[in-house]
């Protein structure tokens, strides 16, 4: 990896096309959507999406792009609501993303058109996590039975997403107690507790860490998450300053190898 891959937008655009447009991506823990009307929104690798549970109990992943003028419909990271009302001109959608109404001055001509509904993405719930994909049916991991969901801690980190992935992989090898689901999810087991660390590439220099905790309270991981934030922000400064990421562990090497393959696929054939 080159220094600019961590600090400039070109690599992020390539990753958006060659990684985030094609792979199975985690969006949130199912436990974050416990009640009808619960929703979680995120920008994952440049794609703005949200998951919502409808009144019948089903969960969908929808593109967070209004069918009026393509603006973000959901502007908060999480919450509970009856309908989604776009804050720009008031188009309203139900919990399944179906168009409900619009103020007369901006109402569409054909109120029955299926093109008015928010775009639904292929999604699946597995191992307590909502996965989606922009390209094909998601292929999630299976980590077996989980203890009771204890909550999600959200940490914003001023670093490129690759810095966080490298840091979370660096001290581990694949084992019964550690699973990495390329590209964005790590699962650690310690006795009766399972912790899932979900990397959310918000922008190329802003990354969110969702720490989903099963078998304990999410707040129990606060100190660990604060340490991860401090370390990754320091590492980001190193990368931007030209200090390369250290290779040498199996999983970090594998991560760099997969990224190099993605970049190569993204390059136009000559
Ligand atoms: S962009 Fe959503 S109502 Fe206009």
């Amino acid at each position: 990896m080159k220094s600019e891959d961590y600090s400039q937008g070109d690599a992020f655009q390539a990753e958006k096309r060659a990684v985030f447009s094609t792979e199975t991506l985690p969006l949130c823990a199912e436990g974050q959507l416990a009640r009808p009307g619960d929703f979680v929104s995120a920008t994952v690798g440049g794609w703005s999406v949200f998951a919502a549970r409808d009144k019948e109990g089903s969960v969908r992943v929808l593109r967070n792009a209004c069918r009026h003028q393509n603006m973000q419909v959901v502007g908060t990271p999480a919450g509970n609501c009856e309908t989604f009302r776009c804050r720009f001109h008031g188009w309203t959608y139900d919990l399944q993303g179906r168009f409900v109404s619009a103020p007369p001055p901006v109402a569409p001509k054909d109120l029955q058109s299926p093109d008015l509904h928010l775009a639904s993405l292929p999604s699946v719930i597995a191992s307590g996590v909502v996965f989606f994909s922009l390209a094909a049916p998601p292929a999630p991991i299976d980590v077996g039975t989980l203890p009771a969901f204890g909550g999600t801690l959200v940490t914003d980190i001023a670093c490129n997403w690759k810095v966080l992935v490298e840091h979370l992989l660096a001290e581990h090898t694949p084992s019964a107690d550690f699973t990495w689901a390329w590209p964005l999810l790590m699962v650690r087991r310690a006795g009766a507790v399972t912790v899932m660390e979900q990397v959310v590439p918000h922008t190329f220099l802003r990354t969110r860490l969702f720490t989903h905790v099963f078998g304990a309270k999410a707040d129990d991981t606060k100190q660990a998450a604060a340490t991860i934030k401090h370390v990754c922000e320091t590492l980001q400064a190193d990368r931007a300053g030209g200090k390369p990421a250290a290779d040498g562990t199996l999983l970090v090497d594998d991560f760099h190898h997969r990224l190099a393959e993605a970049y190569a696929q993204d390059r136009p054939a000559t």
Side-chain angles (χ1 to χ4, degrees):
M1 297 289 107
K2 305 188 294 293
S3 171
E4 52 266 34
D5 291 339
Y6 295 87
S7 57
Q8 295 180 12
D10 288 354
F12 196 71
Q13 289 308 315
E15 289 153 9
K16 182 177 179 182
R17 292 187 296 265
V19 178
F20 305 125
S21 298
T22 59
E23 300 293 342
T24 294
L25 305 174
L27 176 52
C28 62
E30 185 189 13
Q32 292 176 276
L33 306 169
R35 299 171 300 156
D38 282 352
F39 67 87
V40 173
S41 74
T43 300
V44 185
W47 300 104
S48 185
V49 298
F50 68 98
R53 189 179 291 280
D54 69 17
K55 287 184 176 152
E56 286 72 45
S58 297
V59 170
R60 279 174 194 73
V61 175
L62 301 160
R63 289 285 296 275
N64 192 5
C66 184
R67 299 311 288 258
H68 178 220
Q69 289 183 352
N70 223 29
M71 310 296 273
Q72 273 192 351
V73 176
V74 180
T76 50
N80 182 276
C81 64
E82 295 271 325
T83 56
F84 297 103
R85 187 175 188 277
C86 181
R87 61 213 149 112
F88 292 95
H89 311 99
W91 282 36
T92 301
Y93 305 88
D94 69 12
L95 294 172
Q96 298 182 357
R98 293 176 303 198
F99 173 80
V100 175
S101 63
V106 293
K109 285 199 179 77
D110 178 5
L111 292 173
Q112 304 307 320
S113 169
D115 294 341
L116 301 181
H117 307 320
L118 296 177
S120 180
L121 297 172
S123 64
V124 68
I125 297 172
S127 301
V129 172
V130 179
F131 293 91
F132 73 101
S133 169
L134 284 114
I141 52 165
D142 179 2
V143 297
T145 308
L146 286 166
F149 179 62
T152 296
L153 191 71
V154 180
T155 309
D156 283 309
I157 305 176
C159 73
N160 182 266
W161 70 281
K162 299 187 291 294
V163 169
L164 179 55
V165 171
E166 288 163 0
H167 178 64
L168 295 175
L169 292 178
E171 291 178 5
H172 296 282
T173 51
S175 71
D177 291 330
F178 186 83
T179 305
W180 171 42
W182 152 265
L184 297 177
L185 189 70
M186 294 79 183
V187 184
R188 290 188 283 114
R189 296 169 204 81
V193 178
T194 298
V195 174
M196 296 192 187
E197 284 162 326
Q198 177 192 335
V199 176
V200 183
H202 188 63
T203 68
F204 70 95
L205 289 178
R206 287 268 157 200
T207 302
R208 195 159 282 169
L209 172 64
F210 284 180
T211 309
H212 308 302
V213 182
F214 299 81
K217 291 190 184 130
D219 278 357
D220 296 350
T221 63
K222 256 186 184 168
Q223 186 55 49
T227 301
I228 291 170
K229 174 180 169 71
H230 174 72
V231 170
C232 287
E233 290 180 350
T234 303
L235 288 170
Q236 176 64 40
D238 288 349
R239 300 285 181 280
K243 187 172 171 186
D247 280 331
T249 76
L250 192 66
L251 289 173
V252 174
D253 286 354
D254 188 15
F255 178 59
H256 290 165
H257 180 68
R258 287 172 183 248
L259 276 175
E261 278 185 346
Y263 292 160
Q265 280 169 14
D266 185 60
R267 231 172 269 135
T270 52

